[in-house]
Amino acid sequence: MTVRVDHAVTSGTFSLDGQTFDVDNNIWVVGDDTECVVFDAPHDVAAIRRVVGDRRVVAILATHAHDDHVRVAPELARVTGAPVLLHPDDRVLWDLVHPGLAPDGGLSDGQEITVGDTVLRVLHTPGHSPGACSFHAPSLGVVFTGDTLFRGGPGATGRSFSDFATIVESIRTRLLTLPADTVVHTGHGDDTSIGAEAPHLQDWLARGH
């Protein structure tokens, strides 16, 4: 069966460092007609389940642990039976959202997760957060970058546990080395491509954010 990428948008809030903002989050689901993986669990379990349909969820893959990406992860895990997987370096952020409740498993750089006939390769891309991860699916020509790379540049690094120099290095060494025609599916907003963003690296460094 053919593996496909399904998408929806759900709305809620993001809170950190004593501030709260309204946000729209992308929901990305990759799989065939039988099974799938879900990237992140923002805001609304029902909205995510509508994208999943009646498929078996292999895993809930957290790009990072800001609350707008993992707020309903435990509930989604409960109703689907799927494990929540998070890079251990983001446990400090997870614990702010779900104190006393651990994720079900870890993610590590180079790890491979198979869904249908497609392999997703984990790329540890810290900077937006310490354990931020991207997920490259070479056979689909896509990479899921969470809040690490957007159309127009790096994700935000002005809050706790983030660092601009680190995110730029992650993008330079882990993402911009992917094929130029790789489609970038982001945590918020519109898609872009590696080829569209690569020429602007020096501009990002010059502006410093």
Side-chain angles (χ1 to χ4, degrees):
M1 285 181 282
T2 303
V3 169
R4 66 184 187 272
V5 178
D6 294 309
H7 172 244
V9 177
T10 186
S11 300
T13 61
F14 162 62
S15 299
L16 189 64
D17 296 337
Q19 295 182 296
T20 297
F21 305 91
D22 293 328
V23 288
D24 294 330
N25 287 62
N26 291 320
I27 299 168
W28 298 106
V29 177
V30 173
D32 56 22
D33 291 340
T34 302
E35 63 181 21
C36 63
V37 296
V38 177
F39 294 99
D40 296 331
H43 313 311
D44 186 346
V45 166
I48 299 169
R49 293 188 73 187
R50 283 194 292 271
V51 182
V52 169
D54 60 1
R55 292 177 286 178
R56 180 177 72 90
V57 180
V58 173
I60 300 158
L61 305 176
T63 63
H64 63 294
H66 284 153
D67 66 347
D68 60 317
H69 290 258
V70 299
R71 182 175 288 116
V72 300
E75 182 184 354
L76 184 63
R78 180 179 59 79
V79 299
T80 63
V84 179
L85 305 183
L86 175 75
H87 193 284
D89 288 356
D90 252 25
R91 183 63 188 270
V92 62
L93 286 164
W94 171 276
D95 288 345
L96 294 175
V97 187
H98 301 296
L101 179 65
D104 299 300
L107 294 169
S108 59
D109 188 61
Q111 179 180 348
E112 293 185 344
I113 298 160
T114 301
V115 58
D117 60 359
T118 294
V119 174
L120 300 164
R121 187 166 185 266
V122 180
L123 306 175
H124 183 209
T125 49
H128 182 68
S129 68
C133 288
S134 300
F135 300 83
H136 182 214
S139 66
L140 301 178
V142 302
V143 62
F144 300 88
T145 58
D147 289 4
T148 295
L149 178 62
F150 292 107
R151 175 180 286 190
T157 53
R159 302 193 178 278
S160 296
F161 311 107
S162 65
D163 182 76
F164 176 73
T166 302
I167 199 172
V168 169
E169 185 66 4
S170 291
I171 293 170
R172 185 183 70 81
T173 62
R174 309 311 309 281
L175 298 178
L176 298 187
T177 54
L178 299 177
D181 61 354
T182 303
V183 174
V184 177
H185 292 314
T186 62
H188 309 270
D190 296 332
D191 290 347
T192 184
S193 70
I194 295 300
E197 300 306 323
H200 303 292
L201 176 62
Q202 291 306 313
D203 296 336
W204 306 336
L205 290 169
R207 77 189 188 199
H209 63 85

